[in-house]
């Protein structure tokens, strides 16, 4: 098998031949058909997340077909299409796992961060964390749902049921979530980098009722805001934009420091929350709804060997929607 491997933090990924190992007990091997590129991959490459496995094969939005099954795996079959998400393994016994919060497990493994991921022709996964994907939809368009979609879904749930929803950073996750929110009959207010008219137009094309720069105030107070951009300075801006009792949800795994702000911005029961990882329940719920909602992902496909170009384009905001690597 071949993979794009991060051998040293803050360096380019390298095309590498690796042994194609057999899955162990409880594992499956998946022949990768598509793997989305997520902002978290940039944080891994940049060394912004603690204790990555190095060398590591990044990538945690994997769509492929199972081509080998280890001992003891139930409910999955050879040739079945499966999705491998960010949450790659949990301990099953810590208070978080047993309390229904496996996203907060004390001893987790994360695909493409602490276990090898999908920037590769093949990947080994813990079978319990793989999602059967069925045969509806093509591989490339499904890939971004595996993180941008799932974490977006969890963020939306945590944002509460308010009708007026702000989305800060209109990339892969927000472009999916805007469609979900519209389906839920909410109004989406999209915030982009100041002056990024192309992305504001993209947001409106997906049903946003308003789009503007992140330093602007929306035309009316919001019930909740979700921040996808890794920019701490957006937190006080979003607090200003939400109404009394409003929620500001930070959906990214990493963010620059949040600047000091007046307590007045938090007063009146405004809340700041973060979303960490996903549970398998989030994934099942969301993937079940995908065909019903009719989510259309906008993707830019790159050959696997061009993973570095895809990461650079993501960093520079050079495409709308999501980048997807194809082996
Ligand atoms: Zn991700
Ligand atoms: Zn645990």
């Amino acid at each position: 098998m071949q993979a794009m491997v991060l051998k040293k933090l803050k360096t380019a990924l390298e095309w590498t031949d690796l042994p194609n190992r057999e899955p162990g007990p409880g594992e499956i091997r998946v022949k990768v058909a598509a793997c989305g590129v997520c902002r978290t991959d940039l944080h891994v490459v940049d060394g912004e997340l603690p204790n990555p496995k190095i060398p590591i094969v990044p990538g945690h939005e994997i769509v492929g077909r199972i081509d080998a099954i280890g001992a003891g795996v139930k409910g999955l079959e050879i040739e079945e299409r499966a999705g491998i998400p960010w949450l790659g393994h949990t301990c099953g016994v810590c208070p978080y796992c047993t309390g229904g919060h496996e996203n907060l497990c004390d001893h987790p493994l994360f695909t493409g961060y602490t276990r090898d991921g999908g920037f590769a022709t093949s990947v080994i996964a813990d079978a319990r964390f793989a999602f059967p994907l069925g045969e509806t939809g093509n591989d490339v368009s499904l890939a971004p749902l595996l993180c941008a979609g799932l974490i977006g879904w969890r963020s939306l749930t945590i944002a509460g049921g308010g009708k007026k929803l702000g989305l800060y950073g209109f990339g892969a996750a927000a472009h999916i979530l805007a469609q979900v929110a519209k389906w839920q009959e909410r109004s989406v207010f999209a915030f982009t980098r100041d002056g990024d008219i192309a992305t504001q137009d993209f947001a409106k094309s997906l049903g946003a009722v308003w789009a503007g720069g992140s330093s602007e105030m929306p035309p009316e107070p919001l019930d909740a805001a979700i921040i996808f951009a890794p920019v701490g300075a957006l937190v006080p801006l979003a607090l200003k934009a939400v109404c009394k009792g409003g929620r500001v949800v930070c959906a990214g795994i990493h963010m620059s420091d949040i600047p000091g702000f007046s307590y007045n911005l938090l007063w009146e029961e405004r809340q700041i929350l973060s979303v960490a990882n996903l549970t398998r329940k989030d994934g099942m719920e969301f993937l079940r709804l995908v065909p019903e909602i009719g989510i259309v992902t906008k993707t830019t496909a790159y050959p696997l060997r061009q993973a570095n170009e895809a990461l650079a384009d993501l960093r520079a905001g050079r495409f709308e929607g999501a980048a997807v690597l194809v082996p």
Side-chain angles (χ1 to χ4, degrees), residues 90-98 101-102 104-108:
T90 58
C91 76
V93 297
C94 76
Y96 299 103
C97 282
T98 54
H101 303 284
E102 66 180 2
L104 302 176
C105 175
D106 280 333
H107 304 284

Side-chain angles (χ1 to χ4, degrees), residues 37-41 60-61 86 146-148 151:
V37 180
C38 174
R39 183 159 292 280
T40 299
D41 300 315
H60 56 270
E61 297 180 313
W86 169 248
L146 268 302
C147 178
I151 304 269

